[in-house]
Amino acid sequence: MNPFIKVKYPSNIALVKYWGKHGNQLPCNASLSMTLSNAFTELNLELSEKKNNEIEFDYFFEGAPKDSFRDRILNYLTQQPEFYDVLKNYAIRAESHNSFPHSTGIASSASAFAAIAAAFLNASGNEANFDQNASRLARLGSGSACRSFFGPYASWGHLAEINGTSDEFATPVTAIHDNFKTMRDAILIVEDAPKKVSSSVGHGLMEGHPFAEARFKQANTNCLEMFSTLQSGDFDKFISIVEREALSLHAMMMTSNDYYLLIKPGTVKVIEQVMQFRKDTRLPICFTLDAGPNVHLLYPSTIEKDVQMLIEDINSELKAVIYDQIGTGGTILS
Ligand code: DP6
């Protein structure tokens, strides 16, 4: 057993959104994401053998003990039978840090739980079918985390039309046209305060939502279309699916019984400027949104310089810009 385990797992941005879950973290619809590379979590585990049966788990986030994270992670770890032996036999010191600033409001649960699941599965010595197994375990911590194991694109959720897709774990999307192999994601930070309604609560509000069934159907259709679009290289279709998905996600929030808004005036301004820029230049650029006010700009590397000019124009609306790009998934570093 290696007493020092070091892993690095990226975040991902959903092109088709997971929104609504049932059972044990199973999605109500299929989703499809682009794996990122610069936004990642690095996690170090230090394991030392112990004799007693008490759990000894210390958790440090960016150098300092963080009890709220520790409790959520320990609660997750103790629920996975795969990790029992590691928790029973070793005192564990975990140290985690993110490559992206904590205050930007960027979702970190995807990269965090991908890293946790991979590190603990590695510690358990269970190597068979590693990525699929780790993806399934990561999903139990945070749904979107299961897609961070594969790149450049991954899908999660069973689709009868696509072999190998599953509700339990994500799978790589392999047929990708050259047009979509060099995609960039410029994350425009409109607001960096913590959001008022968590994703978990948001997922919950899809239960009994008046548009739930139509939304789940729409997402599955969009997912299938995205599979064929990524293969054909059609930017117009890509843009149409991605932007429709972003706005549908937020429409769900605005129309749930306990309705709420996560977008801000700056979000709308930025979206309108992106749309106008596309109209004026006919360049293949589009926006997407997570469960928050910040705008992700997706575009191929070939138009990087033009996008830079757009961002300079929008700059007064922004708190920060984080430049990211398509990636291949995570790694066990040692
Ligand atoms: C809008 O994966 O954060 O980013 O499973 O409760 O941890 P939990 O939710 P989470 O939800 C992500 C929602 C989303 C869309 C997506 O990534 O597909």
Side-chain angles (χ1 to χ4, degrees), residues 206-319:
M206 287 305 285
E207 244 174 81
H209 192 296
F211 305 140
E213 283 317 309
R215 165 61 198 154
F216 302 148
K217 213 169 137 204
Q218 176 204 34
N220 285 339
T221 305
N222 284 344
C223 219
L224 281 176
E225 269 194 40
M226 188 50 92
F227 268 96
S228 57
T229 303
L230 288 174
Q231 191 166 7
S232 71
D234 186 333
F235 269 120
D236 289 342
K237 266 205 177 146
F238 180 88
I239 290 166
S240 150
I241 299 169
V242 168
E243 293 192 345
R244 238 177 316 128
E245 274 293 313
L247 296 179
S248 292
L249 168 71
H250 284 261
M252 290 302 108
M253 300 171 192
M254 293 181 211
T255 50
S256 51
N257 290 327
D258 286 335
Y259 51 87
Y260 63 107
L261 264 109
L262 292 183
I263 52 171
K264 300 281 176 196
T267 316
V268 177
K269 269 196 189 165
V270 169
I271 288 176
E272 286 187 330
Q273 275 179 272
V274 172
M275 285 173 150
Q276 188 60 47
F277 176 80
R278 184 170 66 228
K279 206 168 162 196
D280 295 343
T281 61
R282 297 171 173 270
L283 290 172
I285 182 168
C286 62
F287 69 84
T288 188
L289 303 165
D290 252 341
N294 300 321
V295 181
H296 290 246
L297 283 187
L298 304 180
Y299 52 95
S301 61
T302 45
I303 67 163
E304 224 159 27
K305 289 220 165 71
D306 305 274
V307 176
Q308 197 53 51
M309 278 157 63
L310 166 68
I311 293 174
E312 274 159 29
D313 269 0
I314 305 177
N315 218 11
S316 60
E317 301 295 333
L318 307 177
K319 296 241 157 78

Side-chain angles (χ1 to χ4, degrees), residues 12-19 21 25 31-33 72 107 109-110 113 139-145 147 156 195 199-201 203 249-250 253 289-292:
N12 65 77
I13 177 70
L15 308 175
V16 177
K17 311 288 180 183
Y18 146 58
W19 201 241
K21 56 179 157 178
Q25 288 273 112
S31 58
L32 195 155
S33 57
R72 179 172 173 196
S109 68
F113 273 97
R139 180 203 100 229
L140 295 165
S142 178
S144 53
R147 297 183 309 233
W156 168 40
K195 56 190 177 200
S199 284
S200 298
V201 171
H203 286 292
L249 168 71
H250 284 261
M253 300 171 192
L289 303 165
D290 252 341

Side-chain angles (χ1 to χ4, degrees), residues 28-50:
C28 292
N29 62 262
S31 58
L32 195 155
S33 57
M34 184 175 108
T35 307
L36 297 177
S37 59
N38 299 340
F40 60 81
T41 296
E42 220 171 66
L43 174 69
N44 295 293
L45 291 188
E46 214 179 300
L47 307 162
S48 35
E49 275 185 63
K50 66 176 173 68

Side-chain angles (χ1 to χ4, degrees), residues 175-210:
I176 308 294
H177 191 279
D178 281 351
N179 281 354
F180 295 121
K181 284 185 179 160
T182 66
M183 293 299 282
R184 301 280 193 253
D185 178 5
I187 310 166
L188 310 182
I189 309 298
V190 170
E191 184 70 60
D192 53 12
K195 56 190 177 200
K196 289 177 301 216
V197 182
S198 72
S199 284
S200 298
V201 171
H203 286 292
L205 291 171
M206 287 305 285
E207 244 174 81
H209 192 296

